[in-house]
């Protein structure tokens, strides 16, 4: 078993810088998701770890070994691709056996490994089929099986579930979590789906434009986003972000925007009066009583709750959650309050850092 | 697979039969059937005129002894065939045809795949090379053969000139007038002329092989050679089946290149069956005999093709 470490890793394609200077330390046996919007560099990061791309500068380690110049086949990793990348002319058995064959393992050992992996993934019945005779979910499991038989130090996943339908995706998520618990191997998982990252990971690395924004456990990423980008990226529906001004008076901070004036919790020393951004999760906006007013613009009923969009003065919109039983009428003006103990304050800018004092 | 499809397709038909023939659905089906016939009729007419008729005519002619200019003569039954099988010239020509086909075809395939792999790499002259490589295939056979005859010429050919200059040979070589040089020469020129077809077909297929398969193979520990045999070649298998089938047919009945290069000589050492058909029918004016050779040629090809397609199917299902 081994951890993974990126030190000052930089990657350029021609003149374009895909990864700026990445520092990331993944512990042994950890399940880490690389999360970010398309083109943020998360796949490039994974491919550098796999050895399919080479870093322009910096160092990548698997365990104690620097692997910058080690070919993919000798890194002791296995990778599951988004398109599965099964060899179409080989049976399931041959596909799973292939990496072992290339390592020159004797036939009996190969057979044993394949059978064990096949049993674990319920593929035993399918061993003699060709990939084209399998469903998407089955192909996905074969790809997983091909990774499993190797018993590698590190598993790499490149958006492995994005070609599956929603139901199967949920099922495979659970299977992967179970697999991780059983094997205890280091797993690095690239996704643009925050639900996958949140539900499966020990820690999430959120990347934007080649730069690491935050690297923390899912709950921390949700409760204490490092900056405005992370705050807006994590959470469904996403956090309300309101631009306004920060004022200091009589030992406490006050946030002001059209129609909203709110005392905010203690802020870090770096906070200064002036432009700022207020972040409020939809579950911390409460309709019913309160000193603020807004007009109900949209009500989405999801079954177990309702998502309500309120229009406040100055073109500000706030999304909030209400219990299923409470369905406001569209067009009505309602009173509401913001749970001021739970708000976040960010410095201005797209990636303005969070100014709240750590809890 | 086929069985499953045919039973699936059979069900609606049998249901329709059990209904009364006057039901609207049955009438509609009959109208569709008529429309279908109408739509394929033009193809059938053309197919009959250009394929079925000449085929039957050739078989018919082969049963006569005919003088080509007047097409006069008498019915001789199968005696043309008896005579043909007893002639040494037929067997020599058959052997020449097989040697030529096997030789030139294998060179085309090997060079074709090699060149396609090279052009598939990221080389800076790729697009230029890709268009240049087609040149031999596009140039007219007559022109190509004239050029090659100059190159091969034993008095003023550049090939002999260079070899003598380089002191690799003392005397000019007779490339087209001696054996086995003549056979080797036509095989090489055939390979040069037709390998671009293989290049284009293989290159087209190479470009559709997903990169991710190579990446997966690299991670699985496959080196460049293993990647070629485990990823590239199996992916090329289907296109190669088609190429080999087509090129084998075309090479088997190749006429102009050989005729213009050696005329079948020295004596009949490079005379293939196509040249023999031509000689019988138009040089010796024995149309019936020529037709008989033609029919035998077709039969040989047919046997080969059926065998080949069977093998291909077997390989596919395993």
């Amino acid at each position: 078993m081994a951890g993974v470490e990126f030190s000052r890793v930089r990657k350029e394609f021609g003149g374009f810088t895909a990864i700026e200077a990445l520092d990331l330390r993944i512990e042994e046996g950890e399940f880490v998701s690389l999360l970010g919007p398309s083109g943020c560099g998360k796949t490039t990061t994974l491919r550098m770890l796999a050895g399919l791309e080479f870093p322009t500068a910096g160092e990548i380690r698997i365990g104690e070994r620097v692997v910058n110049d080690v070919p993919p086949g000798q890194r002791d990793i296995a990778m599951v691709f988004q398109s599965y990348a099964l060899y179409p002319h080989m049976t399931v058995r041959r596909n799973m056996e292939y990496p072992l064959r290339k390592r020159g393992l004797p036939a009996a050992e190969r057979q044993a490994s394949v059978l064990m992996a096949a049993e674990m993934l319920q593929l035993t019945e399918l061993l003699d089929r060709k990939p084209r005779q399998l469903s998407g979910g089955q192909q996905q499991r074969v790809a997983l099986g091909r990774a499993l038989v190797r018993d590698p130090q590190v598993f790499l996943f490149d958006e492995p579930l994005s070609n599956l339908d929603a139901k199967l995706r949920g099922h495979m998520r659970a299977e992967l979590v179970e697999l991780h618990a059983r094997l205890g191997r280091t797993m690095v998982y690239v996704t643009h789906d925050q639900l996958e990252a949140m539900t499966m990971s020990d820690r999430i690395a959120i990347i934007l434009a080649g730069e690491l924004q935050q690297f923390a456990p899912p709950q921390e990423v949700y409760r204490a986003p490092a900056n405005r980008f992370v705050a807006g990226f994590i959470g469904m529906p996403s956090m309300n972000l309101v631009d306004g001004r920060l004022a200091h008076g009589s030992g406490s901070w006050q946030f002001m925007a059209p129609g909203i004036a709110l005392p905010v919790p203690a802020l870090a020393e770096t906070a200064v009066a002036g432009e700022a951004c207020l972040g409020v999760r939809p579950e911390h906006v409460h309709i019913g009583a309160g000193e603020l007013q807004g007009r109900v613009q949209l009500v989405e009923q999801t079954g177990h709750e309702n998502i309500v969009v309120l229009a406040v003065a100055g073109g500000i919109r706030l999304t909030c959650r209400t219990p299923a039983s409470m369905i406001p009428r569209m067009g009505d003006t309602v009173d509401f309050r913001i749970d001021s103990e739970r708000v976040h304050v960010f410095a201005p800018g797209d990636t303005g850092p969070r100014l709240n004092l750590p809890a | 697979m086929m069985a499953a499809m045919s039973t699936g397709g059979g069900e609606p038909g049998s249901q329709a039969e059990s209904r009364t023939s006057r039901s609207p659905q049955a009438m509609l089906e009959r109208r569709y059937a008529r429309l279908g016939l109408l739509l394929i009729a033009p193809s059938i007419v053309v197919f009959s005129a250009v394929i079925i008729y000449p085929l039957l005519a050739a078989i018919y002619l082969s049963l006569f002894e005919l003088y080509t200019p007047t097409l006069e003569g008498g019915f001789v039954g199968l005696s043309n065939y008896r005579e043909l099988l007893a002639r040494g010239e037929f067997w020599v020509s058959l052997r020449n045809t097989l040697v030529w086909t096997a030789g030139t075809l294998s060179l085309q395939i090997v060079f074709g795949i090699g060149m396609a792999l090279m052009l598939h790499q990221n080389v800076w002259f790729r697009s230029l090379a890709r268009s240049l490589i087609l040149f031999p295939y596009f140039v007219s056979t007559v022109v190509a053969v004239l050029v090659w005859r100059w190159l091969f010429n034993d008095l003023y050919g550049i090939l002999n000139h260079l070899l003598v200059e380089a002191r690799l040979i003392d005397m000019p070589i007779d490339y087209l007038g001696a054996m086995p040089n003549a056979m080797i020469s036509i095989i090489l020129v055939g390979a040069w002329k037709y390998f671009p077809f293989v290049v284009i077909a293989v290159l087209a297929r190479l470009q559709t092989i997903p990169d991710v398969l190579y990446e997966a193979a690299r991670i699985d520990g496959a080196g460049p050679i293993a990647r070629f045999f485990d990823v590239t070649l199996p992916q090329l298998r289907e296109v190669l089946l088609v190429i080999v089938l087509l090129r084998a047919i075309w090479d088997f009945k190749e006429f102009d290149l050989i005729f213009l290069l050696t005329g079948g000589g020295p004596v009949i050492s490079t005379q293939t069956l196509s040249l023999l058909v031509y000689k019988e029918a138009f040089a010796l004016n024995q149309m019936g005999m020529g037709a008989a050779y033609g029919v035998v040629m077709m039969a040989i090809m047919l046997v080969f093709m059926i065998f080949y397609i069977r093998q291909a199917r077997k390989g596919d299902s395993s």
Side-chain angles (χ1 to χ4, degrees):
Chain A
M1 264 222 286
V4 169
E5 188 173 359
F6 288 80
S7 324
R8 311 301 299 160
V9 170
R10 180 181 176 78
K11 176 66 184 174
E12 290 171 15
F13 292 103
F16 172 73
T17 307
I19 305 286
E20 195 62 54
L22 182 68
D23 284 303
L24 194 66
R25 202 186 143 78
I26 297 168
E27 303 297 335
E28 253 181 50
E30 210 177 4
F31 192 123
V32 166
S33 291
L34 307 180
L35 178 66
S38 326
C40 71
K42 56 190 190 297
T43 296
T44 305
T45 305
L46 190 79
R47 289 172 60 87
M48 285 195 290
L49 181 54
L52 299 172
E53 303 281 358
F54 294 97
T56 313
E59 229 176 51
I60 300 174
R61 281 170 198 271
I62 296 177
E64 293 305 306
R65 187 162 66 136
V66 177
V67 293
N68 283 30
D69 300 319
V70 179
Q74 290 166 27
R75 292 191 177 197
D76 204 4
I77 50 158
M79 184 156 167
V80 179
F81 294 86
Q82 180 176 356
S83 57
Y84 319 137
L86 300 178
Y87 308 117
H89 57 286
M90 296 185 194
T91 58
V92 169
R93 185 191 306 276
R94 295 277 299 198
N95 261 289
M96 288 169 63
E97 207 183 27
Y98 189 73
L100 304 180
R101 208 176 259 275
K102 288 298 124 187
R103 268 167 190 69
L105 254 69
E109 250 175 82
R110 293 201 305 253
Q111 274 311 94
S113 302
V114 167
L115 283 179
M116 207 169 73
E119 208 153 302
M120 203 187 283
L121 296 166
Q122 294 147 31
L123 288 170
T124 318
E125 307 285 300
L126 308 175
L127 279 176
D128 294 316
R129 299 235 193 124
K130 293 261 178 81
R132 63 163 184 273
Q133 298 166 309
L134 305 178
S135 69
Q138 289 169 333
Q139 290 189 30
Q140 176 57 259
R141 289 218 299 278
V142 177
L144 208 54
R146 188 171 62 184
L148 270 182
V149 292
R150 301 262 306 273
D151 192 21
Q153 304 236 35
V154 183
F155 283 91
L156 310 181
F157 298 95
D158 186 8
E159 311 212 13
L161 305 186
S162 47
N163 285 358
L164 302 179
D165 63 57
K167 197 173 165 196
L168 200 53
R169 205 151 52 209
H171 177 70
M172 286 303 292
R173 272 205 313 264
E175 273 193 24
L176 279 176
V177 169
E178 208 173 294
L179 199 68
H180 179 243
R182 179 148 27 152
L183 300 174
R185 287 282 186 264
T186 310
M187 296 188 174
V188 185
Y189 189 101
V190 161
T191 181
H192 63 267
D193 181 345
Q194 51 161 307
L195 185 64
E196 283 176 18
M198 293 294 283
T199 52
M200 298 163 71
S201 324
D202 294 322
R203 281 195 290 171
I204 305 177
I206 295 159
I207 301 174
L208 175 69
E211 286 182 63
L212 186 64
Q213 306 293 318
Q214 187 169 10
F215 186 35
Q219 280 310 311
E220 190 181 327
V221 168
Y222 189 80
R223 285 203 191 122
N227 61 35
R228 181 178 172 161
F229 169 75
V230 175
F233 193 70
I234 298 286
M236 268 307 280
S238 45
M239 186 188 279
N240 295 296
L241 294 166
V242 181
D243 286 314
R245 299 188 65 76
L246 206 53
H248 195 57
S250 61
S252 69
W253 289 94
Q254 185 92 8
F255 178 84
M256 280 168 304
I260 297 174
L262 203 67
V264 294
L267 297 182
E269 282 176 13
T270 49
V272 287
E275 270 181 53
C277 173
L278 181 79
V280 190
R281 292 264 176 225
E283 55 267 37
H284 300 142
V285 179
H286 304 285
I287 295 182
E291 59 282 14
L292 302 169
Q293 272 93 42
R295 195 168 52 80
V296 177
Q297 201 168 37
L298 183 69
V299 180
E300 290 178 325
Q301 302 184 37
T302 64
H304 68 289
E305 64 173 9
N306 302 314
I307 309 293
V308 179
V309 177
L310 296 176
V312 193
I316 295 169
R317 283 191 192 149
L318 291 178
T319 308
C320 56
R321 297 187 139 130
T322 66
S325 57
M326 183 185 171
I327 309 171
R329 252 208 321 231
M330 283 213 261
D332 279 4
T333 299
V334 294
D335 292 340
F336 70 95
R337 68 182 178 83
I338 291 171
D339 192 345
S340 64
E341 286 302 307
R342 316 282 279 271
V343 299
H344 310 268
V345 179
F346 302 101
D350 288 342
T351 54
R354 185 169 180 263
L355 299 171
N356 299 47
L357 281 177
Chain B
M1 180 77 183
M2 288 298 284
M5 273 169 61
S6 61
T7 51
E11 270 174 71
S14 54
Q15 277 172 9
E17 273 168 37
S18 65
R19 286 196 200 100
T20 58
S21 59
R22 273 183 300 173
S23 78
Q25 191 178 348
M27 272 166 67
L28 203 62
E29 267 174 27
R30 242 177 299 138
R31 257 169 61 193
Y32 272 128
R34 269 204 300 274
L35 181 67
L37 274 180
L38 203 68
L39 288 174
I40 59 166
S43 320
I44 292 180
V45 169
V46 172
F47 189 77
S48 306
V50 303
I51 300 197
I52 308 278
Y53 169 71
L55 190 72
L56 294 177
I59 295 172
Y60 178 74
L61 286 176
S62 71
L63 304 175
F64 289 80
E65 193 181 317
L66 290 173
Y67 181 60
T68 306
T70 59
L71 283 184
E72 278 172 2
F75 182 78
V76 293
L78 293 175
S79 88
N80 280 338
Y81 291 98
R82 271 195 294 275
E83 191 184 335
L84 162 167
L85 292 174
R87 270 197 203 172
E89 192 174 6
F90 166 76
W91 297 106
V92 171
S93 299
L94 176 61
R95 203 204 59 202
N96 289 343
T97 309
L98 295 177
V99 170
W100 143 261
T101 304
T104 198
L105 179 62
S106 43
L107 287 183
Q108 285 164 27
I109 298 292
V110 170
F111 282 133
I113 293 178
M115 187 59 79
L117 287 173
M118 253 172 67
L119 292 183
H120 187 54
Q121 301 303 314
N122 249 326
V123 285
W124 62 272
F125 61 92
R126 182 168 52 179
S127 48
L128 179 68
R130 277 185 186 173
S131 26
L132 282 181
I133 209 79
L134 283 172
F135 172 75
Y137 196 64
F138 285 151
V139 76
S140 139
T141 306
V142 181
V143 176
V145 166
L146 277 178
V147 171
W148 276 103
R149 286 179 67 132
W150 280 337
L151 295 174
F152 281 145
N153 192 289
D154 46 356
L155 292 178
Y156 45 83
I158 187 136
L159 219 52
N160 273 322
H161 174 75
L162 289 177
L163 288 176
V164 171
E165 284 288 299
R167 302 196 180 281
L168 289 171
I169 54 173
D170 298 328
M171 293 283 290
I173 295 173
D174 186 359
Y175 291 104
L176 298 174
M179 279 300 278
N181 302 3
M183 182 57 89
I184 294 171
S185 299
I186 61 167
I187 285 175
L188 287 177
V189 174
W192 169 83
K193 179 97 177 69
Y194 297 119
F195 91 101
F197 176 79
V198 182
V199 175
I200 295 306
V202 170
L203 196 56
R205 181 70 184 95
L206 280 178
Q207 284 166 347
T208 64
I209 302 177
D211 280 342
V212 70
L213 284 184
Y214 292 103
E215 292 177 349
R218 276 167 68 194
I219 288 176
D220 286 344
I225 294 169
R227 290 203 293 275
F228 175 74
F229 282 104
D230 295 337
V231 179
T232 311
L233 211 52
Q235 296 283 299
L236 291 181
R237 188 174 165 274
E238 274 163 36
V239 74
L240 283 178
L241 284 174
V242 176
I243 295 173
V244 168
L245 187 67
L246 287 177
R247 284 273 16 127
I249 295 171
W250 293 337
D251 289 335
F252 190 84
K253 63 191 182 65
E254 177 68 34
F255 175 78
D256 44 3
L257 188 138
I258 304 169
F259 185 75
L260 293 165
L261 214 46
T262 65
V267 198
I268 58 165
S269 313
T270 57
Q271 177 180 281
T272 58
L273 288 173
S274 299
L275 269 69
L276 184 56
V277 171
Y278 172 82
K279 187 164 94 177
E280 282 293 337
F282 300 106
L284 303 176
N285 284 326
Q286 295 294 322
M287 185 52 94
M289 198 65 196
Y293 278 121
V295 171
V296 171
M297 251 181 101
M298 192 187 67
I300 294 170
M301 260 201 278
L302 212 60
V303 169
F304 169 71
M305 292 315 153
I306 289 171
F307 176 74
Y308 177 84
I309 290 169
R310 280 254 178 94
Q311 285 301 108
R313 283 220 186 114
K314 212 189 284 173
D316 203 34
S317 60
S318 73

